[in-house]
mmCIF file of all heavy atoms in Angstrom:
data_model
loop_
_atom_site.group_PDB
_atom_site.id
_atom_site.type_symbol
_atom_site.label_atom_id
_atom_site.label_comp_id
_atom_site.label_asym_id
_atom_site.label_seq_id
_atom_site.Cartn_x
_atom_site.Cartn_y
_atom_site.Cartn_z
ATOM 1 N N VAL A 83 24.775 9.893 -15.668
ATOM 2 C CA VAL A 83 24.504 11.120 -14.916
ATOM 3 C C VAL A 83 23.146 10.979 -14.227
ATOM 4 O O VAL A 83 22.178 10.503 -14.837
ATOM 5 C CB VAL A 83 24.496 12.346 -15.864
ATOM 6 C CG1 VAL A 83 24.078 13.611 -15.140
ATOM 7 C CG2 VAL A 83 25.877 12.524 -16.486
ATOM 8 N N LEU A 84 23.070 11.390 -12.964
ATOM 9 C CA LEU A 84 21.783 11.346 -12.249
ATOM 10 C C LEU A 84 20.777 12.263 -12.924
ATOM 11 O O LEU A 84 21.079 13.428 -13.196
ATOM 12 C CB LEU A 84 21.945 11.790 -10.796
ATOM 13 C CG LEU A 84 22.752 10.883 -9.871
ATOM 14 C CD1 LEU A 84 22.877 11.535 -8.498
ATOM 15 C CD2 LEU A 84 22.114 9.516 -9.762
ATOM 16 N N GLU A 85 19.591 11.742 -13.181
ATOM 17 C CA GLU A 85 18.530 12.570 -13.752
ATOM 18 C C GLU A 85 18.121 13.647 -12.745
ATOM 19 O O GLU A 85 18.354 13.500 -11.542
ATOM 20 C CB GLU A 85 17.319 11.712 -14.099
ATOM 21 C CG GLU A 85 17.566 10.782 -15.264
ATOM 22 C CD GLU A 85 16.313 10.020 -15.669
ATOM 23 O OE1 GLU A 85 15.301 10.042 -14.933
ATOM 24 O OE2 GLU A 85 16.362 9.383 -16.736
ATOM 25 N N ASP A 86 17.517 14.729 -13.256
ATOM 26 C CA ASP A 86 16.967 15.738 -12.356
ATOM 27 C C ASP A 86 15.953 15.058 -11.450
ATOM 28 O O ASP A 86 15.117 14.281 -11.913
ATOM 29 C CB ASP A 86 16.275 16.853 -13.137
ATOM 30 C CG ASP A 86 17.259 17.773 -13.838
ATOM 31 O OD1 ASP A 86 18.462 17.720 -13.512
ATOM 32 O OD2 ASP A 86 16.820 18.540 -14.706
ATOM 33 N N HIS A 87 16.049 15.323 -10.166
ATOM 34 C CA HIS A 87 15.131 14.710 -9.213
ATOM 35 C C HIS A 87 14.949 15.610 -8.008
ATOM 36 O O HIS A 87 15.800 16.438 -7.693
ATOM 37 C CB HIS A 87 15.653 13.334 -8.770
ATOM 38 C CG HIS A 87 16.974 13.397 -8.037
ATOM 39 N ND1 HIS A 87 18.181 13.560 -8.699
ATOM 40 C CD2 HIS A 87 17.270 13.341 -6.720
ATOM 41 C CE1 HIS A 87 19.165 13.579 -7.815
ATOM 42 N NE2 HIS A 87 18.630 13.454 -6.594
ATOM 43 N N ASP A 88 13.808 15.471 -7.374
ATOM 44 C CA ASP A 88 13.554 16.175 -6.131
ATOM 45 C C ASP A 88 14.286 15.409 -5.037
ATOM 46 O O ASP A 88 14.517 14.200 -5.167
ATOM 47 C CB ASP A 88 12.048 16.221 -5.845
ATOM 48 C CG ASP A 88 11.673 17.289 -4.836
ATOM 49 O OD1 ASP A 88 12.574 17.957 -4.285
ATOM 50 O OD2 ASP A 88 10.476 17.462 -4.580
ATOM 51 N N ALA A 89 14.677 16.072 -3.984
ATOM 52 C CA ALA A 89 15.379 15.404 -2.893
ATOM 53 C C ALA A 89 14.501 14.302 -2.303
ATOM 54 O O ALA A 89 13.288 14.449 -2.196
ATOM 55 C CB ALA A 89 15.766 16.406 -1.810
ATOM 56 N N PHE A 90 15.124 13.198 -1.937
ATOM 57 C CA PHE A 90 14.409 12.071 -1.351
ATOM 58 C C PHE A 90 13.692 12.542 -0.094
ATOM 59 O O PHE A 90 14.274 13.182 0.772
ATOM 60 C CB PHE A 90 15.390 10.943 -1.018
ATOM 61 C CG PHE A 90 14.736 9.768 -0.364
ATOM 62 C CD1 PHE A 90 13.932 8.928 -1.113
ATOM 63 C CD2 PHE A 90 14.907 9.524 0.975
ATOM 64 C CE1 PHE A 90 13.308 7.842 -0.515
ATOM 65 C CE2 PHE A 90 14.305 8.445 1.581
ATOM 66 C CZ PHE A 90 13.504 7.598 0.837
ATOM 67 N N ALA A 91 12.403 12.213 -0.006
ATOM 68 C CA ALA A 91 11.609 12.652 1.144
ATOM 69 C C ALA A 91 10.927 11.483 1.831
ATOM 70 O O ALA A 91 9.920 11.657 2.493
ATOM 71 C CB ALA A 91 10.568 13.678 0.694
ATOM 72 N N GLY A 92 11.478 10.313 1.669
ATOM 73 C CA GLY A 92 10.904 9.140 2.321
ATOM 74 C C GLY A 92 10.468 8.108 1.305
ATOM 75 O O GLY A 92 10.225 8.420 0.146
ATOM 76 N N PRO A 93 10.381 6.867 1.739
ATOM 77 C CA PRO A 93 9.992 5.790 0.831
ATOM 78 C C PRO A 93 8.559 5.953 0.341
ATOM 79 O O PRO A 93 7.713 6.525 1.024
ATOM 80 C CB PRO A 93 10.148 4.527 1.679
ATOM 81 C CG PRO A 93 10.133 4.994 3.090
ATOM 82 C CD PRO A 93 10.638 6.399 3.092
ATOM 83 N N ALA A 94 8.309 5.445 -0.861
ATOM 84 C CA ALA A 94 6.991 5.558 -1.469
ATOM 85 C C ALA A 94 5.972 4.643 -0.795
ATOM 86 O O ALA A 94 4.789 4.952 -0.770
ATOM 87 C CB ALA A 94 7.075 5.232 -2.954
ATOM 88 N N ASP A 95 6.432 3.513 -0.271
ATOM 89 C CA ASP A 95 5.525 2.555 0.365
ATOM 90 C C ASP A 95 6.345 1.630 1.258
ATOM 91 O O ASP A 95 7.572 1.761 1.349
ATOM 92 C CB ASP A 95 4.723 1.770 -0.676
ATOM 93 C CG ASP A 95 5.593 1.092 -1.723
ATOM 94 O OD1 ASP A 95 6.693 0.593 -1.373
ATOM 95 O OD2 ASP A 95 5.176 1.058 -2.884
#
Side-chain angles (χ1 to χ4, degrees):
V83 174
L84 292 176
E85 290 185 349
D86 287 346
H87 63 282
D88 198 356
F90 178 73
D95 54 37

